[in-house]
Amino acid sequence: MTSLAQTSDELQDLYRELILDHARSPRHFGKLPDATHTAEGINPLCGDKLKMYFRIDGDDRISDARFEGSGCAISVASASLLTDMVIGLHTDEALKYFSALVTRLAGVQPTDNDNAGDDINLGKLRALEGVREFPSRVKCATLAWHALNSAIQRKSQPATTE
Ligand code: ZN
């Protein structure tokens, strides 16, 4: 019993390190001049304001991702983890991570028939699961992902061709 608790504490520490690392030195931070899809994420409760940039190629593959803005450590770390993960993914795969993460953070246990969070390995995103204990921070952790979702959903709009 104590060893289990200890293991979980150690994992928590590792995850906290990962979050702090991404918050302190965010990956892919800045504008993406040739972005094809962008979306803003605003979380007024906390004051997080992020802008996400994606370059999505003709085959629906995300070839680059960046973000800028400001927010708390969790929102910035989550956006940084997002950009790290989605580059190279098909938009369908990226959306699977989105729904898996949102499902997990909402504390919903996926059932066998519900593959929203089951068939996907959250990997480093598990670092964000700690916020489940702090419901007000769930919005911080999912903000960038909601922005990713709306950026991708807008793909039906005419793509700008210059
Ligand atoms: Zn926040």
Side-chain angles (χ1 to χ4, degrees), residues 61-82:
R61 208 156 276 281
I62 301 170
S63 57
D64 208 352
R66 297 212 197 137
F67 76 101
E68 58 178 7
S70 60
C72 65
I74 291 173
S75 66
V76 170
S78 180
S80 174
L81 283 163
L82 181 155

Side-chain angles (χ1 to χ4, degrees), residues 43-46 48 74-75 105 131 134-144 146:
N43 176 16
L45 285 176
C46 179
D48 309 317
I74 291 173
S75 66
L105 291 189
V131 305
F134 311 96
S136 63
R137 309 310 296 274
V138 169
K139 283 189 176 164
C140 303
T142 54
L143 183 64
H146 282 289

Side-chain angles (χ1 to χ4, degrees), residues 85-143:
M85 286 196 82
V86 301
I87 293 173
L89 291 185
H90 191 277
T91 51
D92 287 348
E93 293 172 291
L95 288 178
K96 272 191 187 176
Y97 278 107
F98 163 67
S99 53
L101 185 72
V102 169
T103 306
R104 292 288 271 277
L105 291 189
V108 182
Q109 289 296 327
T111 68
D112 285 347
N113 294 325
D114 174 12
N115 61 12
D118 236 10
D119 65 336
I120 204 145
N121 181 2
L122 281 178
K124 284 181 180 177
L125 296 182
R126 297 199 53 150
L128 297 168
E129 286 190 323
V131 305
R132 276 196 301 199
E133 293 165 45
F134 311 96
S136 63
R137 309 310 296 274
V138 169
K139 283 189 176 164
C140 303
T142 54
L143 183 64

